[in-house]
Amino acid sequence: MLCAGPGGGSNDVQWCFSQVKGAIDDDVAEADIISTVEFNQSGELLATGDKGGRVVIFQQEQESKNKLQCRGEYNVYSTFQSHEPEFDYLKSLEIEEKINKIRWLPQKNAAHFLLSTNDKTIKLWKISERDKRPEGYNLKEEDGQYRDPNTVTTLRVPVFRPMDLMVEASPRRVFANAHTYHINSISVNSDCETYLSADDLRVNLWHLEITDRSFNIVDIKPANMEDLTEVITAAEFHPNQCNTFVYSSSKGTIRLCDMRAAALCDSHAKLFEEPEDPNNRSFFSEIISSISDVKFSHSGRYMMTRDYLSVKIWDLNMESRPVETYQVHEYLRSKLCSLYENDCIFDKFECCWNGNDSVVMTGSYNNFFRMFDRGYQQDMTLEASRENSKPRSVLKPRKVSTGGKRKKDEISVDSLDFNKKILHTAWHPLDNIIAVATTNNLYIFQDKLN
Amino acid sequence: MECAFEAQNLISISLRKIQSSRTQRGGIKLHKNLLVTYVLRNARQFYMSKNLSQMQRTNPYEDVTVVRERQEYLEWTGSFTELADDFYCNFTGVESDTWHCGAHQPNGQPAEVAHQGASACAIDSPSDSDLMVSDACWSCADKSSWELSIPNTQANQKTVLDLDTHVVTTVTNGYFHTDCCAQPKQPQGAQCYTKKRKIDISYHIVDPEFYLPDFAPVPCKRMRSDDDSHSDSDQLDSTNISNLISVLGSGGLSEFVSWQQTDLEQIFASQTICLKHTLLTGSGWTRAIEAF
């Protein structure tokens, strides 16, 4: 497993442009807006979901024997329509087809399985390859038409013959009617049999084989909705302990629950919360403290949370405060009013770990994304843009000018484009390859191999 | 006073967001609306605390309890005249470092409160039940956000959001000026706002689970109790403010809603501020949510 550093120090890693997927047009169709990005456990497959309910899966080419030191490119492997818009006639509500989350199941055979979810329904998809087809039927012609039985005088055994590779995506399970509020998270358990889904007020536990029932394990809905003060914003199973999961809230707290303690996990086992700094109190304190994403480290010892302005690393053994805090774009603190007006303050940024948990990454505005090296305590800002999209071109670190004087190559805060935001990022589990989603494009970067 | 204006603006923006969320695709986003109500609460509490401190400055010998009672009286009776004094803001210039804000004094001279600068200051956490009296100010946005192309004259300003037309209007010296609307301005006497419509307190967001059928396709470990079903049905009570908005605490937005219940024709007859906006011509009703 490679050791990755964002830049600077003795373990310098230079990030290079590799590929960009998606339309070049500046006129972005809303259906093409990428809403989730996820590598599978091996990193061979990269799945994206968009607002139009589509899932596109990219597969990494096998590394060429002739081209050593060169990673394979990601090409389209499968595309399918996962969710369609629906209408709830009882509540007169339209259900968006937008894919909120995709999670891969650990691979057990030749086929690949993933879970995709919109606001209300989770689906299990099987992605399999077909490179053979049976030929020599007795009752049917090759084109499928039935033969006249009177013409059948002999019998033969159909045989499989090679055909062009075809990738099929088929829905194997549909998990519906279990969420009243909008689903924000799904997470596969390490037991590979169950998974959880979370909406604003509840967390449900499912078995992958059973679609007609789920177990509600967390319910924070108050008896009187007028007493509602917080909602669930994200949830995830522990990577190793199948009995443990966490869920974050809009109040900036994270609760760790142990399913062995009780069937209903309303009472947390641990509560992670950092006291608010009274000096930073503002009209928008509640908004910027709301956690938009929570991710366990691969080791399972730490978890990372993302709120509007920062990324925090928590040690599961210490609840009182995070062990590390990284400011993503602190210069936006004085702009919160404008960001509230244009709704940007409600953007939900995600975060991710690298393979060995030494570096974390998250997105920002102006198509910037940030990396924080935990070991070397260094950070770097990079940009995903078409201007820097020459093959294998090294990305130049970017800097936002916060003071009065702007240096050359720096960009001022007022010049940031808040319509260009990177909400979704993913890091290859085993290699220094990252996938960064702009509005409707997917950028793939990798470290420069010497 | 820049902060007080910001609070006023935030309230109108927040109300607009809540209103627009009711028609957005995919249904109401519970999380977002909850956060908006927190902003509403914070802005409201800040503005009330500024108002209370302002009143205390004008009447230094008045008992705090009396001041608070008068404050609540002003809120609940909906007197245009007295509230106009409370919300009087005098902008003396776009680039001025000093914002002036003050109520009309008995002698007609506005008091001045110097702006303390845009740096963030410590402020007590607002509680739902207390009116804060604090000399500190919230951290404010850049002044560039608040550059207004307004004439360099004194003005009474009040912000009103019309639920029917989604028009945000500002009452200036008693005259409505449309800030933004989907339709072009109509000359006086136009008929566009003469719909007769009962004032509808329709902020409430029905709990989606009220509509759950009796049978549950997905049996859960957790059983729905009878109390749950009763509370769900209560949420449909049309006199309730939105479940979310009631997070604001004591009073909530009810003082704003009280404006809706006020017969506009009665106000027109009794007020000292002359409302010349066309929507008040004839006997037209409108669903107006007044931020202040």
Side-chain angles (χ1 to χ4, degrees), chain A residues 187-424:
Chain A
S187 178
V188 182
N189 202 344
S190 54
D191 64 8
C192 301
E193 289 187 353
T194 58
Y195 74 96
L196 65 80
S197 59
D199 65 26
D200 292 322
L201 298 179
R202 297 190 176 98
V203 180
N204 292 336
L205 181 68
W206 300 84
H207 193 281
L208 287 166
E209 298 293 333
I210 301 171
T211 59
D212 63 350
R213 73 194 68 182
S214 67
F215 294 108
N216 174 244
I217 53 177
V218 174
D219 189 343
I220 67 169
K221 183 185 175 189
N224 188 349
M225 277 295 281
E226 293 186 0
D227 299 330
L228 180 71
T229 58
E230 64 179 334
V231 298
I232 297 170
T233 55
E236 190 175 65
F237 265 120
H238 192 277
N240 306 319
Q241 300 168 11
C242 59
N243 54 283
T244 305
F245 67 95
V246 293
Y247 68 92
S248 60
S249 83
S250 55
K251 277 193 168 180
T253 62
I254 310 102
R255 287 172 172 81
L256 184 142
C257 300
D258 189 338
M259 294 192 293
R260 298 170 301 183
L264 301 174
C265 298
D266 288 355
S267 299
H268 53 264
K270 292 191 178 183
L271 174 65
F272 299 85
E273 186 176 17
E274 183 179 27
E276 182 189 1
D277 182 2
N279 295 325
N280 283 334
R281 181 83 194 146
S282 75
F283 291 120
F284 312 103
S285 292
E286 286 81 5
I287 298 184
I288 63 173
S289 65
S290 175
I291 293 174
S292 54
D293 194 18
V294 61
K295 291 273 173 50
F296 276 106
S297 64
H298 292 89
S299 65
R301 178 173 173 186
Y302 299 97
M303 65 178 175
M304 168 170 52
T305 58
R306 176 72 155 96
D307 51 59
Y308 189 66
L309 296 179
S310 67
V311 164
K312 296 179 181 178
I313 311 291
W314 302 78
D315 188 325
L316 294 191
N317 299 317
M318 187 167 77
E319 303 167 54
S320 57
R321 56 180 171 82
V323 291
E324 299 158 32
T325 301
Y326 302 103
Q327 300 301 329
V328 181
H329 37 220
E330 181 68 14
Y331 46 79
L332 295 184
R333 192 179 289 276
S334 60
K335 304 287 184 187
L336 293 179
C337 199
S338 304
L339 295 167
Y340 178 73
E341 203 165 344
N342 63 18
D343 270 2
C344 283
I345 204 172
F346 301 106
D347 288 334
K348 296 180 182 177
F349 292 95
E350 294 177 1
C351 53
C352 60
W353 299 83
N354 76 330
N356 62 3
D357 300 335
S358 62
V359 185
V360 296
M361 176 170 65
T362 188
S364 180
Y365 293 105
N366 209 68
N367 281 348
F368 288 171
F369 58 99
R370 302 261 283 146
M371 289 183 182
F372 303 95
D373 188 318
R374 303 174 60 212
Y376 291 95
Q377 289 295 305
Q378 294 165 351
D379 62 272
M380 185 158 68
T381 304
L382 299 173
E383 182 182 2
S385 71
R386 293 274 178 175
E387 286 75 29
N388 303 325
S389 58
K390 290 181 183 175
R392 292 182 293 279
S393 63
V394 176
L395 292 182
K396 188 178 175 185
R398 303 304 306 269
K399 193 163 170 55
V400 177
S401 166
T402 55
K405 276 190 175 180
R406 185 175 66 88
K407 296 179 184 175
K408 187 187 173 186
D409 293 338
E410 286 186 357
I411 182 167
S412 67
V413 179
D414 294 326
S415 303
L416 295 174
D417 187 343
F418 291 97
N419 292 319
K420 295 181 180 178
K421 57 193 80 173
I422 291 178
L423 303 176
H424 312 287

Side-chain angles (χ1 to χ4, degrees), chain A residues 90 94 97 177 180-182 202 214 216 221 223 225-226 228-229 266 283 286 290 335 338 340-341 343, chain B residues 14 17 25-26 31-32 38 41-42 138 142 145-146 207 209 211 217-219 222 231 235 246-247:
Chain A
L90 188 59
E94 188 176 5
E97 67 276 28
N177 301 321
T180 306
Y181 302 94
H182 295 142
R202 297 190 176 98
S214 67
N216 174 244
K221 183 185 175 189
M225 277 295 281
E226 293 186 0
L228 180 71
T229 58
D266 288 355
F283 291 120
E286 286 81 5
S290 175
K335 304 287 184 187
S338 304
Y340 178 73
E341 203 165 344
D343 270 2
Chain B
S14 301
K17 286 186 189 300
R25 191 167 175 248
H31 183 199
K32 180 180 176 182
Y38 274 115
R41 182 198 69 172
N42 295 339
W138 295 94
D142 281 349
S145 306
W146 305 110
D207 182 8
E209 293 197 318
Y211 291 110
V218 183
R222 194 187 302 272
S231 66
Q235 286 157 2
S246 61
V247 166

Side-chain angles (χ1 to χ4, degrees), chain B residues 30-290:
Chain B
L30 187 64
H31 183 199
K32 180 180 176 182
N33 277 271
L34 181 66
L35 297 177
V36 169
T37 56
Y38 274 115
V39 175
L40 260 176
R41 182 198 69 172
N42 295 339
R44 170 185 169 271
Q45 289 184 327
F46 176 80
Y47 199 92
M48 292 303 182
S49 68
K50 278 294 178 185
N51 206 27
L52 183 63
S53 63
Q54 185 64 37
M55 292 175 67
Q56 284 183 330
R57 286 195 200 99
T58 58
N59 294 302
Y61 301 108
E62 197 165 1
D63 187 60
V64 172
T65 308
V66 174
V67 170
R68 288 194 180 192
E69 285 174 356
R70 182 148 66 97
Q71 178 79 10
E72 291 171 8
Y73 170 77
L74 291 176
E75 293 172 16
W76 287 102
T77 58
S79 163
F80 262 98
T81 308
E82 288 159 316
L83 279 176
D85 286 346
D86 292 332
F87 306 129
Y88 173 79
C89 283
N90 175 15
F91 298 107
T92 59
V94 174
E95 294 296 333
S96 171
D97 288 335
T98 305
W99 295 90
H100 299 271
C101 179
H104 278 300
Q105 301 304 305
N107 58 1
Q109 297 299 319
E112 289 188 11
V113 175
H115 173 57
Q116 295 186 12
S119 59
C121 305
I123 193 166
D124 296 330
S125 290
S127 61
D128 287 339
S129 56
D130 295 337
L131 286 176
M132 292 188 334
V133 179
S134 172
D135 290 332
C137 67
W138 295 94
S139 59
C140 302
D142 281 349
K143 282 183 191 158
S144 58
S145 306
W146 305 110
E147 290 180 3
L148 304 168
S149 55
I150 52 173
N152 189 12
T153 55
Q154 299 181 8
N156 285 326
Q157 291 209 340
K158 209 180 313 185
T159 305
V160 180
L161 169 65
D162 190 312
L163 285 182
D164 288 319
T165 60
H166 293 188
V167 173
V168 178
T169 57
T170 303
V171 181
T172 304
N173 274 343
Y175 298 92
F176 274 104
H177 297 280
T178 305
D179 294 335
C180 59
C181 68
Q183 298 172 354
K185 278 189 179 180
Q186 300 290 335
Q188 284 188 18
Q191 299 298 310
C192 57
Y193 298 124
T194 56
K195 290 181 195 175
K196 272 195 179 180
R197 186 178 304 198
K198 243 188 169 176
I199 287 180
D200 178 15
I201 308 167
S202 55
Y203 263 147
H204 71 269
I205 299 171
V206 177
D207 182 8
E209 293 197 318
F210 178 81
Y211 291 110
L212 277 179
D214 291 335
F215 60 89
V218 183
C220 301
K221 272 188 179 176
R222 194 187 302 272
M223 301 296 291
R224 286 178 65 82
S225 66
D226 288 340
D227 290 340
D228 286 347
S229 59
H230 287 317
S231 66
D232 287 341
S233 60
D234 286 344
Q235 286 157 2
L236 269 187
D237 186 351
S238 60
T239 61
N240 285 338
I241 311 296
S242 158
N243 297 330
L244 297 180
I245 293 177
S246 61
V247 166
L248 298 178
S250 63
L253 269 183
S254 52
E255 66 257 34
F256 304 141
V257 176
S258 67
W259 291 103
Q260 299 180 65
Q261 294 173 329
T262 306
D263 188 338
L264 290 177
E265 291 176 344
Q266 291 174 2
I267 295 171
F268 186 76
S270 63
Q271 65 178 340
T272 59
I273 297 172
C274 178
L275 297 173
K276 284 184 73 175
H277 195 274
T278 55
L279 65 87
L280 292 177
T281 58
S283 59
W285 286 75
T286 186
R287 295 186 299 152
I289 299 169
E290 194 159 342

